[in-house]
Amino acid sequence: MPGDALSQDPAELRRRIDTTRAHPARVYDVFLGGKDNYPVDRAAAAAALAANPRGYLDVRHNRDFLRRAVHTLTGEEGIHQYLDIGTGLPTQENVHQIAQRIAPDSRVVYVDNDPVVLAHARALLTSGPRGRTDYIDADLHDPARILEAAARTLDLGQPVALVLVAVLHFVEDERAYPIVRELIGALPSGSRLVLSHLTEDLNPENVRAVQRTYTERGFTFVLRTKAEVERFLTGNGLEVDEPGVVPAHHWRPDGAAPAPEPAEAGYLDTLDDIEKVRYCDINDVTDADINVYAVTGRKP
């Protein structure tokens, strides 16, 4: 059943939307070829792309890691419950679509704090008849509220996959580690963590240039090392799954990354660089393109 957040008055939602400042969920939407964003978000995405012209590969491979992780955990590990925090705007292959295609009884709770995401959240609630989905309008900084609301849909006595994909680099150290500790602490044995995170370990010049474009726009943007990313798991007693903390495109690749949309001859010449991203093939990725670590782990 949809959460109470979906009953909010549309006028109140419009008042909450700040179109003068970029928001991470909407910038991410730009890179995924979405339309639910504003000029300020497109400007932020364009600045990041100018700083790192192949930076769209970080976003797209991050998303493809999520696809592979959900497919693996649902199909091979029997995980049928997901708590996806920092969901972002609805796009193709949302978590519940992947999980319920494999296990129709899967339950998925999405969490985000952007009113634009909330306005489109009904698209995240198109559950199959045997499964359930819900959306919580909440901030990652309030894990107690998230857990309380998630318990309406998820059975927290059974294993849950906590999904923190491309969200923790927007949280400072003094908050990030305690938040993750509280969330994992509430989940039972057999639960999983699905995590991805930007880093400057791999291609520092590129990602630092992108970091500057975001911090200039008021974003918190923390680049963490491999050891600091791994700490989210080992510091909470989780067993790190193979292949460990690796660049996103190296986490159990399956050769099934989505192909780009075909474009008519000459059409791409009419687009600006950020509009061309949706037509770019991500299968030509190299190690010099990726600045995202990906990892999953298990709570004993």
Side-chain angles (χ1 to χ4, degrees), residues 182-225:
E182 184 171 348
L183 290 167
I184 291 174
L187 303 180
S189 174
S191 291
R192 309 301 282 258
L193 176 62
V194 178
L195 187 152
S196 65
H197 200 295
L198 280 166
T199 183
E200 61 182 348
D201 285 357
L202 305 173
N203 301 289
E205 185 175 344
N206 289 348
V207 77
R208 286 172 188 160
V210 173
Q211 182 186 40
R212 285 193 295 272
T213 70
Y214 285 134
T215 54
E216 287 168 358
R217 287 162 172 80
F219 290 1
T220 296
F221 208 84
V222 182
L223 301 172
R224 293 188 171 95
T225 65

Side-chain angles (χ1 to χ4, degrees), residues 70-89:
V70 173
H71 193 278
T72 299
L73 292 184
T74 308
E76 299 179 15
E77 304 292 341
I79 298 294
H80 294 180
Q81 299 193 108
Y82 290 84
L83 177 58
D84 182 359
I85 305 177
T87 298
L89 284 143

Side-chain angles (χ1 to χ4, degrees), residues 242-253:
E242 291 295 333
V245 179
V246 295
H249 63 307
H250 288 313
W251 194 92
R252 305 190 190 186

Side-chain angles (χ1 to χ4, degrees), residues 11-27 36-42 113-117 217-219:
E12 175 60 27
L13 271 180
R14 286 193 294 271
R15 284 192 292 271
R16 285 182 54 194
I17 297 172
D18 183 354
T19 61
T20 67
R21 295 185 62 188
H23 189 284
R26 303 194 305 258
V27 175
D36 301 313
N37 48 69
Y38 295 93
V40 67
D41 306 305
R42 292 189 287 275
N113 68 336
D114 181 7
V116 175
V117 179
R217 287 162 172 80
F219 290 1

Side-chain angles (χ1 to χ4, degrees), residues 2 17 22 27 31 66 89 106 130 134 163 176 183 191 235 276 282:
I17 297 172
V27 175
F31 278 111
L66 176 61
L89 284 143
S106 295
R130 290 172 53 190
D134 197 1
V163 178
L183 290 167
S191 291
K276 291 177 183 176
I282 70 171

